[in-house]
Amino acid sequence: VRRAVAHVYKHAREWGGDPGQVFVLGHSSGGHLASCVVTTDWAKDFGLPARILKGATLCSGLPPPC
């Protein structure tokens, strides 16, 4: 997932996108994967600017007790 986000950032302009507008979101296990993306050291791991994400929404709540 982190490699996919790095790929999107690197190629966004080729696809008509803006690399300064990369957001991630996830729910349940997707929230876990998105949290891995949010905590990535982009400069160390991918040679990218330290902050490539514009924002993130992570949703993963426990159901209320019955």
Side-chain angles (χ1 to χ4, degrees):
V1 173
R2 296 175 330 130
R3 282 192 308 246
V5 172
H7 184 79
V8 167
Y9 178 84
K10 289 176 184 178
H11 297 280
R13 291 202 193 283
E14 296 170 32
W15 305 322
D18 179 353
Q21 297 293 318
V22 177
F23 291 80
V24 295
L25 62 93
H27 174 262
S28 191
S29 59
H32 171 75
L33 293 172
S35 72
C36 293
V37 170
V38 169
T39 59
T40 299
D41 185 338
W42 296 106
K44 177 181 162 227
D45 296 343
F46 294 93
L48 297 173
R51 297 180 185 230
I52 68 167
L53 298 176
K54 179 77 171 187
T57 301
L58 314 176
C59 301
S60 185
L62 296 172
C66 296

